[in-house]
Amino acid sequence: GDSVTQMEGPVTLSEEAFLTINCTYTATGYPSLFWYVQYPGEGLQLLLKATKADDKGSNKGFEATYRKETTSFHLEKGSVQVSDSAVYFCALSNFNKFYFGSGTKLNVKP
Amino acid sequence: EAGVAQSPRYKIIEKRQSVAFWCNPISGHATLYWYQQILGQGPKLLIQFQNNGVVDDSQLPKDRFSAERLKGVDSTLKIQPAKLEDSAVYLCASSFGTGAYGYTFGSGTRLTVV
């Protein structure tokens, strides 16, 4: 069945460092891909999405490119801030079903 | 637009008691989802409604959990009787159609069973 695998955390970075959180997926057909962010004590917020191959989703300095050839949707940010500390979930939507990865906790230190 | 509303925000109950959570989705969103998120894990789908019909409840522990979506708008999730392992955040989400463009989540209800 469809699934999402993302790198385990926690990931600890210093402010202004480059961020990559890896995400790969398994799916039939043509899924849509998402990154959600969950700040402490809050619900999940959609960070960015891509609905077809080679699409790049971007928001708040974060980017991810839908790579069908490598079945990946890695999240990147050029310069992280302390306020980016949160848990990041990769997810896919396919045939009216949604699948989440297990989440990657990001800690950004000043 | 208003977001997905959930209540209560927090709930503490003793094991074997019952509890109910309420969700009001975004206006016009036909699909509504209830997820269970245990601390340190990703959300797990409990039940999915399309309007007021159930699309998927394969992971709902039906011996103790029940959910309804009367009139295809608000939804209620109930646990009776609660167990210690039900301690989690219960998230409600809605989408306009199939979710191909993403879901909108509510802030969740944090349940602690003692």
Side-chain angles (χ1 to χ4, degrees), chain A residues 53-91:
Chain A
D54 299 325
D55 268 3
K56 177 185 283 188
S58 61
N59 186 25
K60 300 180 181 179
F62 291 90
E63 293 183 339
T65 301
Y66 187 163
R67 301 284 189 202
K68 193 165 178 65
E69 63 276 14
T70 55
T71 62
S72 65
F73 193 55
H74 304 321
L75 182 68
E76 296 181 337
K77 187 175 185 182
S79 176
V80 294
Q81 306 300 312
V82 172
S83 57
D84 294 327
S85 297
V87 181
Y88 292 82
F89 292 93
C90 186

Side-chain angles (χ1 to χ4, degrees), chain B residues 73-90:
Chain B
V73 182
D74 293 7
S75 177
T76 303
L77 176 69
K78 295 180 181 178
I79 308 175
Q80 182 178 12
K83 292 185 176 181
L84 296 177
E85 59 260 37
D86 297 332
S87 295
V89 176
Y90 290 84

